[in-house]
Structures are given as C-alpha cells and as structure tokens.
Amino acid sequence: MNVFSRDMDREPTRAEAERALALLRDWAGSASDTEIETLDPALARLMPGRPVSDYPALSRAYPEAFVADDTYKATLPDLQNGPASLIRGARLPIQHVGISNFRLPIRFHTRDNRDLTLETSVTGTVSLEAEKKGINMSRIMRSFYAHAERTFSFQVIEAALASYKTDLETFDARIMMRFSFPMTVRSLRSGLEGFQYYDFGLELVDMAGTARQIMHLDYVYSSTCPCSLELSEHARRERGQLATPHSQRSVARISVALEPGGDCLWFEDLVELCRSAVPTETQVMVKREDEQAFAELNAANPIFVEDAARLFAEALSTDPRIGDFRVIASHQESLHSHDAVSVLTEGPTFASGSLDPKLFSTLIHAR
C-alpha cells in the first residue's frame, strides 16, 4: 500500500529552502569529491573555492587551422532568421530594416566620359513581414559587393537591389548611396580654378514591383536679404550712413525623381540647373577681384528663402528628365539667431504632412 503525505504537493517556503541548503553544505563540507559527484555534480557549485567538475575545459588559444565546413556551418544557430515564436514585441510588419553607412569605393561615370572612384556610403533596407523574426543583414553587403566593381549607374543599383530582394525573400527594398562629387569651378574674375565638392545621393526605391530612381543634391549658396539690402541703400541715400546688407551661407537640398526611360540626368546637369536658378554659389578660389565680383553678384540676386525655393522649382520643372521633386532650403541667418527655412514639393513622391524634427539641422554645411 502506498502512503502519501498530505503536504506532498505543497510549495516549500523560503525558510525551508534555506535550511535544506545549509544541510547540503554541511554534508558536502565533509564529503569526498566522488560522493558529491555521485549524488549530483551540481552540488560542487554550492561550495566556495570548490572546482566545478562538470564544467568543460575550454581552449584559450585561437584555432587558426580550424575550417568551418558545410557540416559544421549547418550546426550554427541563426536566431535572426528563427521562427515567429522568437519575435519580441508587436507582431507587425516593418517597412524598413537593414544597414546604414556601409562604406566602400565605387566608380561613377561623369558627363565628359571619365570614371571617378569615390568613397560611398550605402544604406540598404528591405521590408519585413509580420511573421518573420529578422533578416540576414550581411546578405545586403554581399549583394552590393557582387555588383560594385562595375561602373556604377542606376542599372547596377537595380541589379544589386534585385539580388538582395531575392536573397532576403522580401517585397519592398531601397538602396541609397551617398558620396561627394568633385567638379572644377572657375573663379568669377581672376580665372583661378578649384574643386567644389557636391554632396549627392542616389536612391532606388522598389515598392510593390515598381522601381523609382531618385537623385539628391545639397547645393550651397550665399543669400543676401532683399530687405536688408534696401535698408542699407536707404541709409546711404538718406543719411550718408555706411551700411551693409546681411547675407549668409545657405543650403538647398534638391531631390528629384527621374522620369522612367528618359535621358540621363548627369550629376553635372543637376548642379548647373541649381546654379542657373540661384547663381550665388559659394566660391572655391578667391582673389580680391573675385571677392568684389561676388559682392556684386549677391547684390544683383537678393533672395528670401521663399524666393530660393521657387527659383529652384522653376528650373527643375523645365527639365523633361525630372518628374516629381522637392526643394528644402535653409538660410542660416547672420542677422537672427535662428534660421529661415522652406520646403516646396511637386507631385506625390515627396509629399509629407510631417517633418523630421532634425531635418533642417542636417543642412548645416560642414567639412
């Protein structure tokens, strides 16, 4: 006959556990290693200074000769691509997940049929379905390297994007490449020349099987305040008082969606479009006659930030290679302790009711 204690299923109390632990330690203090291992090797962990007999002896030397063959690699854990049961947080789709600021040298073709190798920062993202834990981010880099040795264009970006869409089994994807593109700029009067560096971004967005090519440019210029110019001239004329209008370094971030099947919009073309709209681009090489010319050029082209946005938009809208576009302008005031800003969009590609809270702070032009 089996006899069961009435409190057999009762949870032990903390005090009872402490008494049991003290009893085990008392016994283990006089027991041999063999007795402890026979009862339970884990008991050695309860004894201060006692070696843990079941802990493996690990090598501390790097195994340079070790080769990870296919059989071994098949045993490696892969939590990021694990089952949906490993998902933490809300089980919702993620619109963009990937890598940012992955850098490598990329060759770019110029309008005058030359190739330039430039350090390029790559951001690559894909969409992630609600039932998938994550992606293998190294595949994005591997896909890019597979195409990076070719002279770059949007067609090559498309090939890289198609590769990692297939590898990662995703529907939507995006690649952004950022780089500084050098162009020779001549001084206004002295004839000197120097390199101006333009911050460009090439973006390919593939959503629901439709690809869009987008080009971004930060164009840096000087803006002279029309009001300040008139007030300065008034002081000279009415009171014989010397006064100078205020002007400041300004930045316009130009984003254009290229028309499908259109002619190539070269990097140089977009710079020249901006220069035709607002000719007061900051200078590279300057002598005294160039400085005077720059002051005259600013006086001939005074602009508020609203004027700048509309002038850029006017130039962009006349180019048949350009579809939707966005102009973000920031005049970094020398009069005020704040900046004057404007955003103008054409078409649905860049339309947004919300602003990135640090959008305009990224338009500070620093080298």
Side-chain angles (χ1 to χ4, degrees), residues 38 90 107 109 131 134 138 190 199 202 208 210 220 227 250 277 298 328 366:
T38 301
R107 286 187 298 159
H109 205 53
E131 299 304 314
S138 67
S190 68
D199 289 343
L202 296 183
T210 300
V220 185
C227 183
S250 305
N298 272 270
I328 304 171

Side-chain angles (χ1 to χ4, degrees), residues 179 181 183 197-202 214-220 251-256 266-275 281 312 316 326-328 363:
F179 51 92
F181 184 79
M183 287 176 59
Y197 284 83
Y198 298 91
D199 289 343
F200 269 95
L202 296 183
I214 298 171
M215 187 181 295
H216 306 272
L217 164 66
D218 279 8
Y219 178 74
V220 185
V251 181
R253 180 161 297 157
I254 309 297
S255 301
V256 298
W266 297 99
F267 305 134
E268 299 93 332
D269 294 339
L270 188 54
V271 170
E272 289 173 1
L273 276 172
C274 292
R275 199 180 287 155
E281 181 181 15
F312 287 121
L316 298 172
R326 177 182 62 206
V327 178
I328 304 171
L363 270 67

Side-chain angles (χ1 to χ4, degrees), residues 280-325:
T280 52
E281 181 181 15
T282 53
Q283 302 294 293
V284 182
M285 301 290 285
V286 175
K287 298 181 73 174
R288 284 180 296 172
E289 60 266 37
D290 300 310
E291 186 170 354
Q292 185 181 65
F294 192 63
E296 295 171 10
L297 184 64
N298 272 270
N301 295 275
I303 48 172
F304 295 115
V305 73
E306 300 93 333
D307 300 322
R310 288 171 172 151
L311 286 167
F312 287 121
E314 182 179 45
L316 298 172
S317 63
T318 61
D319 195 307
R321 296 168 293 182
I322 295 174
D324 295 352
F325 60 80

Side-chain angles (χ1 to χ4, degrees), residues 51-363:
V52 181
S53 60
D54 65 336
Y55 196 77
L58 302 178
S59 173
R60 293 181 177 270
Y62 176 71
E64 294 187 12
F66 175 74
V67 176
D69 58 22
D70 290 340
T71 301
Y72 178 80
K73 286 186 284 187
T75 68
L76 294 174
D78 188 2
L79 296 181
Q80 192 67 356
N81 293 299
S85 59
L86 296 178
I87 292 175
R88 301 185 64 187
R91 191 166 296 187
L92 295 172
I94 299 176
Q95 286 72 39
H96 301 283
V97 59
I99 59 171
S100 176
N101 200 30
F102 161 55
R103 294 184 297 170
L104 71 168
I106 293 291
R107 286 187 298 159
F108 294 91
H109 205 53
T110 67
R111 188 173 59 183
D112 58 357
N113 202 32
R114 294 183 298 116
D115 283 348
L116 291 176
T117 299
L118 304 173
E119 179 184 327
T120 304
S121 169
V122 177
T123 295
T125 65
V126 297
S127 60
L128 184 66
E129 296 174 44
E131 299 304 314
K132 288 187 176 181
K133 167 67 174 172
I135 67 168
N136 188 327
M137 296 195 182
S138 67
R139 290 185 184 178
I140 295 177
M141 293 183 284
R142 294 200 301 269
S143 297
F144 217 82
Y145 264 110
H147 302 276
E149 292 186 359
R150 296 165 56 185
T151 299
F152 239 75
S153 65
F154 273 114
Q155 288 69 39
V156 181
I157 303 177
E158 285 177 346
L161 184 142
S163 294
Y164 78 67
K165 276 185 65 178
T166 300
D167 289 344
L168 298 173
E169 300 178 343
T170 186
F171 298 106
D172 300 333
R174 172 182 278 118
I175 287 179
M176 167 79 80
M177 300 195 314
R178 295 185 296 108
F179 51 92
S180 287
F181 184 79
M183 287 176 59
T184 302
V185 176
R186 181 180 292 271
S187 298
L188 294 173
R189 286 183 180 150
S190 68
L192 296 175
E193 290 185 341
F195 282 107
Q196 188 84 278
Y197 284 83
Y198 298 91
D199 289 343
F200 269 95
L202 296 183
E203 185 177 20
L204 182 66
V205 181
D206 190 329
M207 297 185 66
T210 300
R212 289 178 294 166
Q213 298 176 351
I214 298 171
M215 187 181 295
H216 306 272
L217 164 66
D218 279 8
Y219 178 74
V220 185
Y221 58 100
S222 174
S223 59
T224 294
C225 173
C227 183
S228 180
L229 178 61
E230 292 299 323
L231 291 172
S232 296
E233 289 305 305
H234 181 275
R236 292 170 183 261
R237 184 178 63 250
E238 298 296 328
R239 297 187 290 115
Q241 175 63 48
L242 179 64
T244 59
H246 77 85
S247 59
Q248 52 273 319
R249 182 179 295 179
S250 305
V251 181
R253 180 161 297 157
I254 309 297
S255 301
V256 298
L258 305 183
E259 287 286 27
D263 293 336
C264 179
L265 180 69
W266 297 99
F267 305 134
E268 299 93 332
D269 294 339
L270 188 54
V271 170
E272 289 173 1
L273 276 172
C274 292
R275 199 180 287 155
S276 69
V278 178
T280 52
E281 181 181 15
T282 53
Q283 302 294 293
V284 182
M285 301 290 285
V286 175
K287 298 181 73 174
R288 284 180 296 172
E289 60 266 37
D290 300 310
E291 186 170 354
Q292 185 181 65
F294 192 63
E296 295 171 10
L297 184 64
N298 272 270
N301 295 275
I303 48 172
F304 295 115
V305 73
E306 300 93 333
D307 300 322
R310 288 171 172 151
L311 286 167
F312 287 121
E314 182 179 45
L316 298 172
S317 63
T318 61
D319 195 307
R321 296 168 293 182
I322 295 174
D324 295 352
F325 60 80
R326 177 182 62 206
V327 178
I328 304 171
S330 174
H331 289 190
Q332 292 147 29
E333 293 275 341
S334 62
L335 169 64
H336 302 290
S337 57
H338 56 264
D339 300 334
V341 298
S342 65
V343 179
L344 185 157
T345 65
E346 175 65 29
T349 301
F350 304 103
S352 175
S354 174
L355 285 177
D356 178 343
K358 293 193 175 182
L359 169 65
F360 297 108
S361 65
T362 67
L363 270 67

